[in-house]
Amino acid sequence: MKSLRKQLPSLTALTVFEAASRLSSFTRAAEELGVTQAAVSRQIHLLEKDFGFALFMRLHRKVALTDKGKALSAATSDAFNLIAEAVTDLRKDAPGDELTISATVAFSHFWLMPRISEFSRQYPYINLRILSQDNMPNLQLGEADVAIRFGNGMWPDAHAELLFEDEVFPVCSPKYIGVDGRIKTPADLTSYSLISNETDDPTWTGWNEWLSSFSIVVPKKTLGLRCSFYTEAIYAALNGQGIALGWTHLVEDLLQQGRLVRLTDAAIKPRGAYFVVVPTRQRSKETANLFVNWLQIVLQEPGPQTL
């Protein structure tokens, strides 16, 4: 079998032909390629001489492809596009490439940021961009390369892989509750200020759902500070303003550090879970795959991580 090099005509001539056939003009092809019109005409002439037939019909002030020219045009267009796509994908994975990670504000703040430096130490050539946003980015439009989200695992045009399920339980500052251990059961919580946060996510667990799981009705007078975001609720608890609901993976470091304490052994599992999400209509970046693998390994490590 002959080598491709011997089977193919001049690649320079093919490049010129692709531009001339796509633009239907030798002049415009010359402008795009940064050469003279005469140079374009010469390359086309050499190509036609090599094939032994005409590729263009020279008309008054314009050119048109012959039938054989149209066949070659379709082939070169497909081949050049395929090469361009491959080059684009390879450049995405080149050292120094940017990896955009989207995570909810709470997950980014309490879990991801304290740990992401370890990923950077392992892969120093990857430039990271962290998007902290509760709204799901459009992965198909490239708004992020990978996302970490809480929900039911069903997002359009995206593949979601389960990271972990969670538990929800009451937490507060050690100074707020004191050391007398007055809270023994979930019912005891209603005597204290309960910090809540607003959310549009139906799978998110709030105080009403949590207490209802233990057949407890929440008296309106016990409701305390209401925050816009979960991060604000946790900081309010850290500052001794009441009791908030702690999610295991979000408050584990704060519990380990002694900045928050868990109240009662009572806990419930929320309806949703945390997922890592990647686009489905395009090939994932190799850097995104590295991040997903790293994420899964870290989450499998026992005990709270304080990297």
Side-chain angles (χ1 to χ4, degrees):
M1 180 177 178
K2 294 182 180 179
S3 68
L4 286 176
R5 185 174 180 180
K6 292 181 178 180
Q7 287 182 292
L8 293 174
S10 164
L11 291 180
T12 299
L14 285 177
T15 301
V16 171
F17 170 78
E18 187 280 330
S21 62
R22 172 167 43 84
L23 299 171
S24 299
S25 169
F26 288 2
T27 300
R28 292 172 62 189
E31 293 173 352
E32 180 179 286
L33 297 172
V35 297
T36 64
Q37 181 178 350
V40 170
S41 296
R42 175 170 174 75
Q43 289 297 325
I44 298 298
H45 174 73
L46 291 174
L47 196 59
E48 291 177 324
K49 184 177 180 181
D50 183 22
F51 281 130
F53 51 76
L55 297 169
F56 288 95
M57 293 181 288
R58 278 70 169 176
L59 306 175
H60 180 62
R61 294 186 178 180
K62 63 178 182 178
V63 294
L65 288 166
T66 62
D67 289 342
K68 291 183 178 180
K70 290 177 182 178
L72 182 63
S73 176
T76 55
S77 178
D78 289 344
F80 277 47
N81 284 333
L82 185 61
I83 294 171
E85 290 174 4
V87 169
T88 298
D89 286 341
L90 290 172
R91 284 175 174 168
K92 284 181 180 179
D93 298 334
D97 184 38
E98 182 178 82
L99 174 65
T100 301
I101 304 167
S102 172
T104 61
V105 175
F107 189 87
S108 175
H109 192 93
F110 293 122
W111 195 95
L112 183 61
M113 295 310 296
R115 294 163 173 78
I116 197 64
S117 60
E118 176 61 24
F119 178 80
S120 294
R121 281 194 289 270
Q122 290 186 33
Y123 305 101
Y125 59 87
I126 299 177
N127 296 318
L128 294 176
R129 179 176 176 235
I130 307 297
L131 291 179
S132 298
Q133 54 183 176
D134 288 336
N135 293 330
M136 183 68 173
N138 190 322
L139 299 178
Q140 302 304 326
L141 293 181
E143 293 179 358
D145 300 310
V146 59
I148 302 169
R149 282 296 179 275
F150 179 83
N152 58 13
M154 299 177 64
W155 288 276
D157 298 326
H159 170 72
E161 187 169 342
L162 178 67
L163 287 178
F164 57 82
E165 295 178 329
D166 225 330
E167 282 191 337
V168 183
F169 47 82
V171 295
C172 71
S173 164
K175 294 182 179 179
Y176 177 77
I177 205 63
V179 294
D180 57 3
R182 289 171 290 177
I183 294 180
K184 302 293 185 181
T185 67
D188 296 333
L189 294 165
T190 58
S191 299
Y192 297 87
S193 177
L194 305 180
I195 305 170
S196 61
N197 66 280
E198 298 175 356
T199 179
D200 295 327
D201 188 347
T203 62
W204 187 263
T205 300
W207 275 114
N208 285 332
E209 181 181 350
W210 195 89
L211 290 168
S212 295
S213 298
F214 299 95
S215 302
I216 300 169
V217 178
V218 186
K220 289 186 177 180
K221 65 179 181 180
T222 66
L223 295 178
L225 180 65
R226 188 174 181 84
C227 303
S228 297
F229 301 100
Y230 181 74
T231 49
E232 296 172 348
I234 293 300
Y235 276 109
L238 287 167
N239 291 320
Q241 292 183 263
I243 302 170
L245 285 172
W247 295 60
T248 303
H249 287 79
L250 299 183
V251 301
E252 58 181 351
D253 290 349
L254 298 174
L255 291 172
Q256 186 186 49
Q257 295 161 11
R259 298 174 65 190
L260 289 177
V261 294
R262 177 172 177 169
L263 303 172
T264 83
D265 293 330
I268 70 170
K269 287 187 177 294
R271 287 170 287 170
Y274 275 92
F275 294 83
V276 60
V277 189
V278 295
T280 55
R281 292 187 178 178
Q282 57 189 19
R283 188 175 72 87
S284 297
K285 282 185 175 182
E286 180 58 29
T287 50
N289 294 332
L290 291 174
F291 174 75
V292 171
N293 292 338
W294 171 84
L295 194 63
Q296 293 169 334
I297 292 172
V298 171
L299 286 167
Q300 290 173 1
E301 295 176 355
Q305 307 296 313
T306 53
L307 303 176

